[in-house]
């Protein structure tokens, strides 16, 4: 059965990828022309984190760069995000003022202001209410469910009162999921024919909360099958209500239909199979560009990669690792949680170091893993470096200075680390799952077109085997140079995926009209 048969409903949304049976997008001929005339579409995004203003993970990268790619195609895009306390308003020039509205919230109302600014043709609207919505951190406040309900309502209200109606309301992850339910429900009449799209960036976080949030949000109490009595699942509500549901790679779109990856929602997703799309993420190739990156000491490119060795030496020095150009250096950047495979990496880290390699880790995560890695770093000075924290500039220096990038995820909706690594000529070692399976081709299985080293079983042994194969290739200098050049030449810019999003929006409008 082909992928399109498995998932495709009335729309052939896998058309471009079917020929690339390996799923490696870089080999796909991007559509030179859309299959129909697509008019200028007015799209509204809502997301909890948007780069460069606030970033915790990949959602920020997508919500920060996809709108610009859509605007470059001629569409009209605005992005709503909460004005988090952590956002440096002076640095970004976010104004104090903006329209102010009285937003219904339960039985009362809250005052919300909407300062905004335009960057590269995209307007970002910061939803501001310091008491109900703004918190220092993007996630992790005890009242997250309530404040994101307030955020969603404030967006719905602003859209309803604006002069120009959106064609598409595109919500991302559970934090803006209730916006979909609002547009599909109580705001439907006010918002005319706006179609809704809901994108799942990570199904593991669904925003489970108490059903009384529904009163605050102005939504009907009727329960979904997947919701226990008195409980609310915002992500499930959006999946049920959206005209189109999407996720961030084709493989993950297939995986989430199974009990193993469906996080309890596989049956609900199965009901929406005909409207489920998988579109692989791109990256912002202006931000992630070793030829112009101001965060790295030496610039380089596929045509002239010589600077990379200087970045490696500088990184080794910065992190207190022994400075040696021939010592293979593995980078690890990300959340230190089981999703990212930290439980299978931890037991074999000493083994990897025993091969003579170095490891540079940057991340934060579960306290238990942070503690274990602190101990490991103390035991292996000069070969294992650990930086606990979030540091975008250091991340770029690691992408540039490392030889290989480890991403042994248990599940991975898309994954951006491997795509950024490609750009910096750093070869990924990944578990073949989700977006990693779609974007990394094993270089031993396919020596001419391989782009990394991948393994299937979720075990430390399988990971170690892939690491060893990577090290073997690394020692073969001509082979390694060819591999580095090949990955640097891959195109993971947004261009092709943004076109797929435009097709998806068109499908959403068709679905809305039919409804
Ligand atoms: P996630 O599941 O966390 O969203 P992704 O791979 O999709 O994972 O995206 C993670 C993004 O966040 C990448 O741009 C990565 O470089 C960045 N990132 C993750 N952890 C850190 C950190 N500690 N410091 C700097 N950047 C980080």
């Amino acid at each position: 059965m082909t992928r399109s048969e498995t998932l495709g409903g009335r729309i052939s949304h896998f058309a471009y990828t079917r020929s690339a049976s390996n799923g490696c997008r870089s080999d796909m001929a991007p559509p030179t022309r859309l299959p129909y005339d697509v008019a200028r579409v007015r799209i509204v995004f809502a997301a909890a984190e948007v780069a460069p203003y606030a970033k915790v993970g990949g959602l920020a990268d997508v919500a920060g760069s996809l709108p610009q790619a859509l605007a470059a195609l001629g569409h009209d895009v605005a992005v709503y995000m909460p004005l988090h306390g952590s956002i440096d308003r002076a640095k970004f020039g976010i104004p104090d003022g903006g329209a102010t509205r009285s937003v219904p919230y339960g039985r009362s109302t809250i005052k919300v202001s909407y300062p905004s600014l335009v960057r590269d043709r995209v307007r970002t609207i910061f939803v501001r209410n310091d008491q109900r919505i703004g918190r220092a951190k993007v996630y992790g406040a005890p009242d997250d469910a309530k404040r994101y309900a307030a955020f969603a309502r404030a967006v719905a209200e602003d859209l309803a009162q604006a002069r120009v109606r959106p064609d598409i309301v595109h919500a991302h992850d559970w934090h803006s999921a209730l916006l979909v339910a609002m547009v599909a429900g109580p705001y439907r009449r006010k918002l005319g024919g706006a179609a809704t799209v809901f994108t799942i960036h990570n199904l593991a976080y669904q925003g489970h909360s108490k059903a009384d949030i529904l009163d605050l949000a102005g939504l009907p109490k009727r329960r979904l099958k997947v919701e226990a009595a008195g409980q609310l699942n915002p992500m499930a509500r959006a999946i049920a209500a959206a005209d189109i549901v999407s996720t961030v790679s084709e493989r993950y779109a297939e995986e989430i239909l199974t009990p193993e990856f469906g996080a309890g929602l596989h049956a609900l997703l199965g009901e929406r199979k005909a409207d489920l799309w998988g579109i692989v993420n791109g990256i912002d190739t202006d931000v992630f560009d070793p030829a112009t990156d101001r965060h790295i000491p030496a610039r380089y490119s596929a045509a002239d990669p010589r600077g990379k060795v200087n970045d490696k030496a500088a990184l080794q020095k910065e992190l207190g690792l022994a400075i040696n150009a021939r010592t293979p250096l593995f980078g690890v950047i990300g959340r230190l949680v089981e999703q990212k495979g930290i439980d299978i990496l931890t037991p074999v880290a000493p083994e990897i170091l025993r091969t003579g390699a170095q490891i540079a880790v940057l991340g934060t995560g579960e306290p238990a893993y942070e503690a274990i890695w602190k101990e490991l770093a103390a035991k292996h000075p000069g070969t294992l470096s650990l930086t606990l924290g979030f540091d975008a500039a250091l991340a770029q220096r690691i992408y540039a200075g490392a030889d290989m990038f480890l991403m042994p995820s248990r599940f991975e909706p898309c994954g951006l680390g491997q795509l950024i690594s490609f750009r910096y000529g750093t070869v990924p070692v990944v578990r073949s799952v989700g977006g990693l399976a779609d974007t990394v081709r094993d270089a031993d299985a396919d020596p001419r077109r391989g782009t990394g080293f991948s393994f299937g079983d979720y075990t430390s042994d399988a990971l170690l085997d892939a690491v060893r194969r990577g090290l073997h290739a690394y020692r073969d200098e001509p082979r390694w140079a060819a591999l580095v050049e090949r990955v640097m030449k891959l195109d993971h810019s947004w261009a092709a995926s943004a076109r797929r999003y435009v097709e998806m929006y068109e499908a959403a409008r068709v679905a809305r009209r039919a409804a």
Side-chain angles (χ1 to χ4, degrees), residues 55-59 61 202 288 333-335 339-340 362-364 389-392 395 399 407 412 415-417 420:
K55 173 166 164 174
V56 177
L59 170 59
D61 288 308
N202 194 334
F288 301 112
I333 300 170
R335 294 177 292 121
Q339 179 203 333
K340 299 293 176 185
L362 167 64
T364 52
F390 193 94
D391 184 339
Y399 284 121
M407 219 165 152
E412 194 57 76
L416 296 175
I420 302 170

mmCIF file of all heavy atoms in Angstrom, residues 55-59 61 202 288 333-335 339-340 362-364 389-392 395 399 407 412 415-417 420, ligand 1:
data_model
loop_
_atom_site.group_PDB
_atom_site.id
_atom_site.type_symbol
_atom_site.label_atom_id
_atom_site.label_comp_id
_atom_site.label_asym_id
_atom_site.label_seq_id
_atom_site.Cartn_x
_atom_site.Cartn_y
_atom_site.Cartn_z
ATOM 1 N N LYS A 55 11.727 31.598 22.365
ATOM 2 C CA LYS A 55 11.963 30.260 21.813
ATOM 3 C C LYS A 55 12.271 29.263 22.913
ATOM 4 O O LYS A 55 13.119 29.498 23.764
ATOM 5 C CB LYS A 55 13.129 30.304 20.815
ATOM 6 C CG LYS A 55 13.561 28.923 20.325
ATOM 7 C CD LYS A 55 14.465 28.988 19.126
ATOM 8 C CE LYS A 55 15.189 27.658 18.917
ATOM 9 N NZ LYS A 55 15.973 27.609 17.697
ATOM 10 N N VAL A 56 11.552 28.145 22.860
ATOM 11 C CA VAL A 56 11.848 27.026 23.744
ATOM 12 C C VAL A 56 12.288 25.834 22.897
ATOM 13 O O VAL A 56 13.195 25.104 23.242
ATOM 14 C CB VAL A 56 10.620 26.644 24.606
ATOM 15 C CG1 VAL A 56 10.914 25.428 25.474
ATOM 16 C CG2 VAL A 56 10.209 27.822 25.484
ATOM 17 N N GLY A 57 11.661 25.664 21.744
ATOM 18 C CA GLY A 57 12.014 24.533 20.880
ATOM 19 C C GLY A 57 11.619 24.810 19.445
ATOM 20 O O GLY A 57 11.491 25.972 19.015
ATOM 21 N N GLY A 58 11.392 23.719 18.714
ATOM 22 C CA GLY A 58 11.172 23.815 17.277
ATOM 23 C C GLY A 58 9.927 24.601 16.867
ATOM 24 O O GLY A 58 9.899 25.192 15.790
ATOM 25 N N LEU A 59 8.907 24.618 17.721
ATOM 26 C CA LEU A 59 7.696 25.376 17.378
ATOM 27 C C LEU A 59 8.047 26.837 17.080
ATOM 28 O O LEU A 59 7.528 27.438 16.138
ATOM 29 C CB LEU A 59 6.683 25.286 18.532
ATOM 30 C CG LEU A 59 5.472 26.214 18.444
ATOM 31 C CD1 LEU A 59 4.657 25.966 17.177
ATOM 32 C CD2 LEU A 59 4.580 26.049 19.682
ATOM 33 N N ASP A 61 10.843 28.024 15.951
ATOM 34 C CA ASP A 61 11.515 28.124 14.640
ATOM 35 C C ASP A 61 10.472 28.151 13.524
ATOM 36 O O ASP A 61 10.555 28.942 12.590
ATOM 37 C CB ASP A 61 12.447 26.922 14.418
ATOM 38 C CG ASP A 61 13.692 26.980 15.295
ATOM 39 O OD1 ASP A 61 14.373 28.008 15.285
ATOM 40 O OD2 ASP A 61 13.977 25.986 15.983
ATOM 41 N N ASN A 202 3.835 18.434 18.393
ATOM 42 C CA ASN A 202 4.203 17.349 19.295
ATOM 43 C C ASN A 202 2.948 16.854 19.991
ATOM 44 O O ASN A 202 2.371 17.557 20.819
ATOM 45 C CB ASN A 202 5.228 17.838 20.329
ATOM 46 C CG ASN A 202 5.868 16.670 21.052
ATOM 47 O OD1 ASN A 202 5.281 15.591 21.164
ATOM 48 N ND2 ASN A 202 7.074 16.881 21.547
ATOM 49 N N PHE A 288 20.438 30.243 9.965
ATOM 50 C CA PHE A 288 21.373 29.119 10.054
ATOM 51 C C PHE A 288 22.188 29.045 8.767
ATOM 52 O O PHE A 288 21.836 28.317 7.831
ATOM 53 C CB PHE A 288 20.611 27.815 10.310
ATOM 54 C CG PHE A 288 19.806 27.843 11.585
ATOM 55 C CD1 PHE A 288 18.420 27.843 11.569
ATOM 56 C CD2 PHE A 288 20.442 27.897 12.817
ATOM 57 C CE1 PHE A 288 17.680 27.895 12.736
ATOM 58 C CE2 PHE A 288 19.714 27.947 14.004
ATOM 59 C CZ PHE A 288 18.329 27.948 13.964
ATOM 60 N N ILE A 333 22.222 18.777 21.176
ATOM 61 C CA ILE A 333 21.526 20.012 21.569
ATOM 62 C C ILE A 333 20.042 19.687 21.668
ATOM 63 O O ILE A 333 19.443 19.211 20.700
ATOM 64 C CB ILE A 333 21.714 21.133 20.525
ATOM 65 C CG1 ILE A 333 23.197 21.465 20.363
ATOM 66 C CG2 ILE A 333 20.926 22.386 20.923
ATOM 67 C CD1 ILE A 333 23.494 22.382 19.189
ATOM 68 N N GLY A 334 19.467 19.928 22.818
ATOM 69 C CA GLY A 334 18.029 19.676 22.907
ATOM 70 C C GLY A 334 17.601 19.420 24.328
ATOM 71 O O GLY A 334 18.394 19.502 25.271
ATOM 72 N N ARG A 335 16.336 19.104 24.449
ATOM 73 C CA ARG A 335 15.785 18.852 25.768
ATOM 74 C C ARG A 335 16.287 17.495 26.271
ATOM 75 O O ARG A 335 16.263 16.514 25.524
ATOM 76 C CB ARG A 335 14.255 18.887 25.688
ATOM 77 C CG ARG A 335 13.747 20.280 25.336
ATOM 78 C CD ARG A 335 12.240 20.359 25.165
ATOM 79 N NE ARG A 335 11.762 19.634 23.994
ATOM 80 C CZ ARG A 335 10.905 18.642 24.010
ATOM 81 N NH1 ARG A 335 10.429 18.214 25.161
ATOM 82 N NH2 ARG A 335 10.504 18.057 22.902
ATOM 83 N N GLN A 339 11.921 11.709 25.267
ATOM 84 C CA GLN A 339 11.556 11.833 23.844
ATOM 85 C C GLN A 339 12.793 11.923 22.973
ATOM 86 O O GLN A 339 12.848 11.411 21.853
ATOM 87 C CB GLN A 339 10.688 13.080 23.600
ATOM 88 C CG GLN A 339 10.338 13.229 22.118
ATOM 89 C CD GLN A 339 9.973 14.647 21.684
ATOM 90 O OE1 GLN A 339 9.499 15.435 22.486
ATOM 91 N NE2 GLN A 339 10.184 14.945 20.422
ATOM 92 N N LYS A 340 13.809 12.596 23.489
ATOM 93 C CA LYS A 340 15.018 12.841 22.697
ATOM 94 C C LYS A 340 16.025 11.699 22.805
ATOM 95 O O LYS A 340 17.144 11.810 22.317
ATOM 96 C CB LYS A 340 15.662 14.157 23.125
ATOM 97 C CG LYS A 340 14.760 15.368 22.916
ATOM 98 C CD LYS A 340 14.517 15.655 21.433
ATOM 99 C CE LYS A 340 13.547 16.790 21.212
ATOM 100 N NZ LYS A 340 13.203 17.005 19.807
ATOM 101 N N LEU A 362 24.429 20.480 25.078
ATOM 102 C CA LEU A 362 23.777 21.739 25.473
ATOM 103 C C LEU A 362 22.290 21.457 25.620
ATOM 104 O O LEU A 362 21.638 21.024 24.662
ATOM 105 C CB LEU A 362 23.994 22.818 24.404
ATOM 106 C CG LEU A 362 23.121 24.071 24.528
ATOM 107 C CD1 LEU A 362 23.408 24.839 25.818
ATOM 108 C CD2 LEU A 362 23.328 24.990 23.314
ATOM 109 N N GLY A 363 21.749 21.681 26.804
ATOM 110 C CA GLY A 363 20.313 21.459 26.955
ATOM 111 C C GLY A 363 19.873 21.594 28.401
ATOM 112 O O GLY A 363 20.682 21.781 29.305
ATOM 113 N N THR A 364 18.581 21.490 28.553
ATOM 114 C CA THR A 364 18.028 21.405 29.900
ATOM 115 C C THR A 364 16.952 20.338 29.836
ATOM 116 O O THR A 364 16.477 20.001 28.750
ATOM 117 C CB THR A 364 17.326 22.715 30.334
ATOM 118 O OG1 THR A 364 16.393 23.065 29.309
ATOM 119 C CG2 THR A 364 18.294 23.830 30.568
ATOM 120 N N GLY A 389 21.376 24.745 30.044
ATOM 121 C CA GLY A 389 20.778 26.059 29.804
ATOM 122 C C GLY A 389 20.335 26.170 28.367
ATOM 123 O O GLY A 389 20.481 25.217 27.573
ATOM 124 N N PHE A 390 19.755 27.313 28.043
ATOM 125 C CA PHE A 390 19.320 27.563 26.670
ATOM 126 C C PHE A 390 20.173 28.699 26.131
ATOM 127 O O PHE A 390 20.188 29.793 26.682
ATOM 128 C CB PHE A 390 17.831 27.951 26.638
ATOM 129 C CG PHE A 390 17.266 27.903 25.252
ATOM 130 C CD1 PHE A 390 16.624 26.764 24.783
ATOM 131 C CD2 PHE A 390 17.414 28.984 24.392
ATOM 132 C CE1 PHE A 390 16.125 26.705 23.491
ATOM 133 C CE2 PHE A 390 16.913 28.937 23.103
ATOM 134 C CZ PHE A 390 16.265 27.793 22.650
ATOM 135 N N ASP A 391 20.921 28.435 25.059
ATOM 136 C CA ASP A 391 21.858 29.432 24.548
ATOM 137 C C ASP A 391 21.932 29.287 23.025
ATOM 138 O O ASP A 391 22.627 28.420 22.496
ATOM 139 C CB ASP A 391 23.222 29.196 25.212
ATOM 140 C CG ASP A 391 24.258 30.249 24.816
ATOM 141 O OD1 ASP A 391 24.089 30.899 23.767
ATOM 142 O OD2 ASP A 391 25.233 30.398 25.566
ATOM 143 N N ALA A 392 21.173 30.151 22.334
ATOM 144 C CA ALA A 392 21.068 30.025 20.874
ATOM 145 C C ALA A 392 22.420 30.219 20.193
ATOM 146 O O ALA A 392 22.735 29.535 19.211
ATOM 147 C CB ALA A 392 20.055 31.033 20.347
ATOM 148 N N ALA A 395 24.534 27.196 20.704
ATOM 149 C CA ALA A 395 23.991 26.119 19.857
ATOM 150 C C ALA A 395 24.583 26.245 18.450
ATOM 151 O O ALA A 395 25.045 25.247 17.873
ATOM 152 C CB ALA A 395 22.463 26.199 19.800
ATOM 153 N N TYR A 399 26.709 23.477 16.448
ATOM 154 C CA TYR A 399 26.362 22.962 15.107
ATOM 155 C C TYR A 399 27.556 23.115 14.164
ATOM 156 O O TYR A 399 27.833 22.250 13.349
ATOM 157 C CB TYR A 399 25.156 23.721 14.529
ATOM 158 C CG TYR A 399 23.821 23.327 15.135
ATOM 159 C CD1 TYR A 399 23.017 24.261 15.781
ATOM 160 C CD2 TYR A 399 23.344 22.017 15.042
ATOM 161 C CE1 TYR A 399 21.792 23.913 16.332
ATOM 162 C CE2 TYR A 399 22.122 21.664 15.593
ATOM 163 C CZ TYR A 399 21.349 22.611 16.240
ATOM 164 O OH TYR A 399 20.133 22.247 16.790
ATOM 165 N N MET A 407 21.066 12.419 17.692
ATOM 166 C CA MET A 407 19.634 12.652 17.914
ATOM 167 C C MET A 407 18.915 11.295 17.922
ATOM 168 O O MET A 407 18.245 10.920 16.963
ATOM 169 C CB MET A 407 19.107 13.541 16.788
ATOM 170 C CG MET A 407 18.117 14.573 17.256
ATOM 171 S SD MET A 407 17.872 15.833 16.015
ATOM 172 C CE MET A 407 16.202 16.300 16.434
ATOM 173 N N GLU A 412 9.913 11.552 17.067
ATOM 174 C CA GLU A 412 10.358 12.871 16.610
ATOM 175 C C GLU A 412 9.418 13.389 15.525
ATOM 176 O O GLU A 412 9.469 12.950 14.376
ATOM 177 C CB GLU A 412 11.781 12.771 16.056
ATOM 178 C CG GLU A 412 12.467 14.112 15.878
ATOM 179 C CD GLU A 412 12.533 14.920 17.172
ATOM 180 O OE1 GLU A 412 13.362 14.609 18.047
ATOM 181 O OE2 GLU A 412 11.712 15.847 17.295
ATOM 182 N N GLY A 415 11.852 17.333 13.977
ATOM 183 C CA GLY A 415 13.242 17.486 14.382
ATOM 184 C C GLY A 415 13.883 18.554 13.515
ATOM 185 O O GLY A 415 13.769 18.517 12.284
ATOM 186 N N LEU A 416 14.519 19.502 14.176
ATOM 187 C CA LEU A 416 15.205 20.549 13.420
ATOM 188 C C LEU A 416 16.711 20.416 13.562
ATOM 189 O O LEU A 416 17.469 20.851 12.691
ATOM 190 C CB LEU A 416 14.762 21.936 13.908
ATOM 191 C CG LEU A 416 13.277 22.239 13.673
ATOM 192 C CD1 LEU A 416 12.906 23.570 14.286
ATOM 193 C CD2 LEU A 416 12.969 22.235 12.182
ATOM 194 N N GLY A 417 17.149 19.782 14.666
ATOM 195 C CA GLY A 417 18.591 19.673 14.907
ATOM 196 C C GLY A 417 19.325 19.029 13.739
ATOM 197 O O GLY A 417 20.408 19.482 13.341
ATOM 198 N N ILE A 420 19.482 21.579 10.812
ATOM 199 C CA ILE A 420 20.466 22.652 11.060
ATOM 200 C C ILE A 420 21.879 22.067 10.932
ATOM 201 O O ILE A 420 22.779 22.691 10.357
ATOM 202 C CB ILE A 420 20.230 23.281 12.458
ATOM 203 C CG1 ILE A 420 18.803 23.842 12.564
ATOM 204 C CG2 ILE A 420 21.248 24.383 12.725
ATOM 205 C CD1 ILE A 420 18.388 24.269 13.976
HETATM 206 P P1 LIG B 1 11.769 20.177 20.047
HETATM 207 O O1 LIG B 1 11.067 18.865 20.200
HETATM 208 O O2 LIG B 1 12.442 20.567 21.329
HETATM 209 O O3 LIG B 1 10.938 21.257 19.476
HETATM 210 P P2 LIG B 1 13.317 20.351 17.574
HETATM 211 O O4 LIG B 1 14.483 19.566 17.093
HETATM 212 O O5 LIG B 1 12.110 20.382 16.696
HETATM 213 O O6 LIG B 1 12.978 19.865 19.046
HETATM 214 O O7 LIG B 1 13.770 21.868 17.771
HETATM 215 C C1 LIG B 1 14.624 22.272 18.776
HETATM 216 C C2 LIG B 1 15.126 23.662 18.444
HETATM 217 O O8 LIG B 1 15.550 24.309 19.644
HETATM 218 C C3 LIG B 1 16.343 23.650 17.542
HETATM 219 O O9 LIG B 1 16.418 24.886 16.851
HETATM 220 C C4 LIG B 1 17.488 23.537 18.562
HETATM 221 O O10 LIG B 1 18.711 23.998 18.047
HETATM 222 C C5 LIG B 1 16.968 24.455 19.650
HETATM 223 N N1 LIG B 1 17.436 24.140 21.003
HETATM 224 C C6 LIG B 1 17.027 23.090 21.766
HETATM 225 N N2 LIG B 1 17.629 23.139 22.976
HETATM 226 C C7 LIG B 1 18.425 24.227 22.960
HETATM 227 C C8 LIG B 1 19.308 24.825 23.935
HETATM 228 N N3 LIG B 1 19.470 24.281 25.131
HETATM 229 N N4 LIG B 1 19.951 25.955 23.589
HETATM 230 C C9 LIG B 1 19.779 26.494 22.359
HETATM 231 N N5 LIG B 1 18.971 25.988 21.398
HETATM 232 C C10 LIG B 1 18.299 24.873 21.699
#
